[in-house]
Amino acid sequence: MSDCLFCKIIKGEIPSEKIYEDEDVYAFHDINKVAPHHFLVIPKKHISTLNEADDPTLVGKLSLAASKIAKDMGFAENGYRVTMNCNDDGAQTVYHIHLHCLGGRQMTWPPG
Ligand code: AMP
Ligand code: ZN
């Protein structure tokens, strides 16, 4: 989608700190980290919210990419959190689905 921030990142029109890429997903550091490790995993295909997602394989690939990256970065054993925000109540601000992966500190529950 031409006016989507994350589609522009995938196309290289907006710079990002890439961590991982395969044929379906792209991962990069969040520009506003809320944990020592904070990266985003997005599908290369534009999907605006989880409500519009209909491909279980693609949605699953986002989680598996996050765990692979956490292992490669060395914090998987200590633990991490993966979150997908959806629409206003979920505090979604970028309407191209993305998993947040947070690690490197103790998380709290429930989230704010
Ligand atoms: P959400 O509120 O779940 O939609 O999360 C959007 C996330 O995208 C936020 O954590 C932002 O810090 C992050 N973000 C926005 N613009 C960029 C960018 N250009 N590069 C990396 N992360 C970004
Ligand atoms: Zn998009």
Side-chain angles (χ1 to χ4, degrees), residues 8-9 17 20 24 34 37 39-40 43 47 49 56 64 67 69 73 83 85 87-88 90 92 95 97 105-106 111:
K8 288 179 179 170
I9 282 179
E17 289 184 65
Y20 172 81
D24 298 311
V34 298
H37 299 291
F39 63 83
L40 305 175
I47 302 167
T49 84
L64 293 179
S67 74
I69 294 164
M73 292 177 76
T83 303
N85 299 329
N87 279 340
D88 284 350
Q92 183 174 4
Y95 281 78
I97 61 170
R105 66 166 169 81
Q106 178 66 60

Side-chain angles (χ1 to χ4, degrees), residues 1 4 6-7 46 96:
M1 187 186 252
C4 169
F6 287 174
C7 283
H46 179 86
H96 178 132

Side-chain angles (χ1 to χ4, degrees), residues 5-6 9 14-17 28-34 38 40 83-86 90-96 98-100:
L5 174 66
F6 287 174
I9 282 179
I14 290 176
S16 66
E17 289 184 65
F28 55 106
H29 291 284
D30 196 292
I31 204 167
N32 185 22
K33 286 185 191 301
V34 298
H38 183 180
L40 305 175
T83 303
M84 188 183 290
N85 299 329
C86 182
Q92 183 174 4
T93 60
V94 178
Y95 281 78
H96 178 132
H98 46 282
L99 274 191
H100 292 260

Side-chain angles (χ1 to χ4, degrees), residues 6-82:
F6 287 174
C7 283
K8 288 179 179 170
I9 282 179
I10 291 163
K11 285 187 271 184
E13 294 171 4
I14 290 176
S16 66
E17 289 184 65
K18 179 172 112 173
I19 304 170
Y20 172 81
E21 179 176 16
D22 63 28
E23 63 178 346
D24 298 311
V25 310
Y26 185 86
F28 55 106
H29 291 284
D30 196 292
I31 204 167
N32 185 22
K33 286 185 191 301
V34 298
H37 299 291
H38 183 180
F39 63 83
L40 305 175
V41 187
I42 66 178
K44 289 187 171 176
K45 176 186 174 189
H46 179 86
I47 302 167
S48 56
T49 84
L50 187 57
N51 293 338
E52 279 70 49
D54 61 4
D55 182 344
T57 301
L58 183 57
V59 173
K61 282 181 175 178
L62 301 177
S63 294
L64 293 179
S67 74
K68 174 186 166 28
I69 294 164
K71 288 171 190 166
D72 289 349
M73 292 177 76
F75 62 90
E77 195 63 32
N78 280 352
Y80 55 93
R81 174 172 292 166
V82 292

